[in-house]
Amino acid sequence: MKHRFIFLAVIFMTISNYASQIEVCNDCSISTLQNAILKSKDFDTILVKKGTYKEYDILVNKPLTIIGENYPIIDGELKGEIITIISDNVTVDGLFIINVGTSYTEDYAAIRVRKSKHFVIKNLVLEKLFFGIYIEKSSYGKVFHNKIIGDAIEEYNSGNGIQLWYSNHIEIEHNYVEHVRDGIYLEFSDDCIIKNNVSALNIRYGLHFMFSNDDTYQDNTFENNGAGVAVMFSKKIKMYNNTFKENWGTASYGLLLKEINDAEIEGNIFENNTIGINIEGSNRITYKHNDFSNNGWAIKVKGACYKNTFIENNFLYNSFDIAYNSKINDNVFDRNYWSNYTGYDLDKNGVGDVPYRPVKLFSYIVNRTPETIILLRSMFIDIIDFSEKVSPVFTPDNLLDNNPLTKRIVW
């Protein structure tokens, strides 16, 4: 072990002594980033001084550290991709990149990482872009503390802020993304962590998973997007302590689950969304310690959802707590707090003495005829909801919470 440590120390000292720093500025002998890369050796540092550099198609094909001093501007003049990394061990830090070209066949990006490992992309500001950071067939990289501001107007002709394609073990933290198609998009990408990001005002989704497994996203905010997050055709996704809010629209929602299995949804806040969670074909999912407040629908369950558990959540002042379109139920609702619960607790043990039926008959009517929503607060609706509670016809008999809590859960 001792010999191994000495060997690694010698290697590190050798590399440190060998590596040098190259400066790039408008008045220097090296005045472009691409020229500096061509003249550099492996593990050199390139320091780009403050200024504007009109470059695109910059290729990083060796291990380098590229640092911008006071955010130098790399202006692509809308001619193509700006920086493409095809080497392991590359760091890009502190650049302001603008004017990425648009191509519907090449998907130009401000930064592309291709078939590389151990890269770091940090402290970048990206504006006027097609795709922002595009990572393909790469692994063990970090993307953090970047600001990506797009100007997308329509979904069909815009790109994504951060995109992963066939990439694994990527950490995406503390980024801010707005006004692109999808803020963050993962396709065929496993074992990734998406943490402490803000994704807002995007045309389609704040975060989007397709065919990706064993990923975790936590402590993020998804606000005012076309829809907050979509998790589709994926397994074992962990969703902890995120905030989904103000995702409004006729078909909008905080979170969409479609054909996913074995996930965990814990500690999240769903606030002021048209639908808090829209669920379809998703099984064996645990929903625990989430707050659903002031949504149109807190949860809308469509077909083929089995063996899910909803336990110890707060349902607070939603127009509808649960919408359910099947007469078969094997999902469990237990020990949740429902602000619409009107039962009693004679033995004062904190659990209501009569079960709570979270599905209103009126939600079926609104689903079929949306215009009837104007009757939401009328006495007629109260009467038909009461009759459904007494003698369920449309809702499964066993869709109820047998232990509704009488006080909001604090955790």
Side-chain angles (χ1 to χ4, degrees):
M1 185 68 187
K2 182 179 178 182
H3 294 294
R4 185 180 179 188
F5 175 78
I6 294 171
F7 175 74
L8 291 173
V10 170
I11 292 294
F12 177 77
M13 291 174 66
T14 301
I15 291 173
S16 300
N17 291 332
Y18 183 68
S20 58
Q21 177 170 297
I22 299 173
E23 286 192 359
V24 178
C25 69
N26 292 326
D27 299 326
C28 296
S29 59
I30 299 176
S31 58
T32 66
L33 176 55
Q34 183 65 81
N35 197 20
I37 294 168
L38 291 173
K39 293 181 181 302
S40 65
K41 302 181 294 293
D42 288 0
F43 299 101
D44 277 356
T45 295
I46 297 175
L47 179 65
V48 184
K49 297 282 190 175
K50 188 175 178 63
T52 299
Y53 304 86
K54 296 186 177 181
E55 295 185 70
Y56 66 100
D57 286 348
I58 300 168
L59 183 65
V60 184
N61 56 358
K62 61 188 78 169
L64 291 172
T65 298
I66 300 170
I67 300 175
E69 185 178 88
N70 297 320
Y71 283 95
I73 298 170
I74 310 295
D75 183 351
E77 298 184 292
L78 303 176
K79 292 181 178 176
E81 193 149 279
I82 312 298
I83 296 176
T84 304
I85 297 168
I86 58 171
S87 167
D88 295 346
N89 300 300
V90 172
T91 295
V92 180
D93 179 1
L95 301 177
F96 187 166
I97 300 176
I98 62 171
N99 291 329
V100 180
T102 298
S103 167
Y104 301 115
T105 55
E106 300 293 331
D107 288 346
Y108 291 148
I111 296 264
R112 183 182 300 271
V113 181
R114 180 180 293 152
K115 295 182 179 178
S116 302
K117 295 180 180 177
H118 309 295
F119 58 88
V120 178
I121 310 294
K122 64 179 181 179
N123 301 320
L124 304 184
V125 178
L126 311 179
E127 293 186 4
K128 298 186 182 301
L129 51 96
F130 188 45
F131 282 78
I133 299 170
Y134 199 130
I135 299 167
E136 58 179 78
K137 295 186 175 180
S138 298
S139 59
Y140 298 101
K142 296 183 179 180
V143 178
F144 70 95
H145 206 265
N146 301 291
K147 189 174 184 179
I148 301 172
I149 310 293
D151 50 7
I153 298 174
E154 294 157 321
E155 183 178 322
Y156 71 92
N157 61 3
S158 55
N160 301 321
I162 300 171
Q163 173 146 337
L164 274 58
W165 186 68
Y166 282 103
S167 294
N168 303 320
H169 303 283
I170 308 295
E171 298 177 23
I172 301 172
E173 296 190 28
H174 289 284
N175 299 284
Y176 180 86
V177 188
E178 71 169 42
H179 283 118
V180 291
R181 181 173 59 195
D182 290 347
I184 303 169
Y185 177 62
L186 285 78
E187 187 173 359
F188 300 107
S189 295
D190 302 337
D191 299 298
C192 299
I193 295 176
I194 300 103
K195 187 176 179 182
N196 283 313
N197 302 283
V198 176
S199 188
L201 299 165
N202 298 299
I203 292 177
R204 193 166 62 180
Y205 304 122
L207 171 62
H208 188 184
F209 294 86
M210 290 290 284
F211 308 107
S212 298
N213 305 317
D214 296 294
D215 298 314
T216 299
Y217 70 93
Q218 65 183 83
D219 302 304
N220 302 284
T221 297
F222 306 103
E223 182 175 1
N224 238 321
N225 297 287
V229 175
V231 185
M232 307 170 77
F233 307 104
S234 300
K235 296 185 291 186
K236 297 181 179 177
I237 304 294
K238 296 179 176 62
M239 317 174 208
Y240 301 146
N241 307 320
N242 301 285
T243 298
F244 307 76
K245 62 181 181 180
E246 306 290 347
N247 297 294
W248 281 111
T250 53
S252 190
Y253 34 76
L255 172 61
L256 167 68
L257 306 178
K258 185 175 177 62
E259 306 292 338
I260 78 164
N261 294 310
D262 303 300
E264 298 175 14
I265 301 175
E266 295 188 13
N268 302 283
I269 296 172
F270 298 87
E271 185 175 52
N272 291 322
N273 303 287
T274 303
I275 304 169
I277 307 181
N278 196 60
I279 312 168
E280 186 174 351
S282 298
N283 309 301
R284 301 182 300 279
I285 298 171
T286 301
Y287 304 78
K288 187 176 182 181
H289 290 180
N290 301 291
D291 277 353
F292 298 89
S293 64
N294 296 296
N295 301 286
W297 285 264
I299 296 174
K300 185 177 277 192
V301 181
K302 296 185 176 177
C305 295
Y306 304 109
K307 298 186 182 303
N308 300 291
T309 302
F310 299 82
I311 185 169
E312 296 179 356
N313 301 286
N314 287 316
F315 290 85
L316 307 165
Y317 318 110
N318 304 292
S319 298
F320 303 105
D321 290 325
I322 307 290
Y324 207 83
N325 73 349
S326 171
K327 294 195 70 174
I328 300 173
N329 173 54
D330 71 348
N331 302 301
V332 174
F333 294 84
D334 193 39
R335 297 184 65 81
N336 299 288
Y337 173 74
W338 311 86
S339 61
N340 292 322
Y341 181 62
T342 55
Y344 43 83
D345 178 18
L346 295 179
D347 56 5
K348 304 295 183 187
N349 66 351
V351 178
D353 295 340
V354 291
Y356 177 67
R357 290 191 175 278
V359 179
K360 293 180 179 179
L361 174 59
F362 186 47
S363 71
Y364 283 90
I365 299 172
V366 172
N367 270 341
R368 290 177 176 272
T369 314
E371 293 80 7
T372 58
I373 192 69
I374 63 172
L375 300 172
L376 179 62
R377 308 295 178 194
S378 72
M379 182 177 291
F380 170 72
I381 298 304
D382 292 340
I383 292 171
I384 65 171
D385 279 339
F386 178 75
S387 64
E388 177 66 9
K389 280 185 181 179
V390 174
S391 180
V393 175
F394 293 93
T395 59
D397 291 344
N398 64 344
L399 204 166
L400 44 76
D401 189 337
N402 283 308
N403 300 292
L405 302 182
T406 55
K407 292 184 179 177
R408 179 176 175 172
I409 307 164
V410 178
W411 47 76

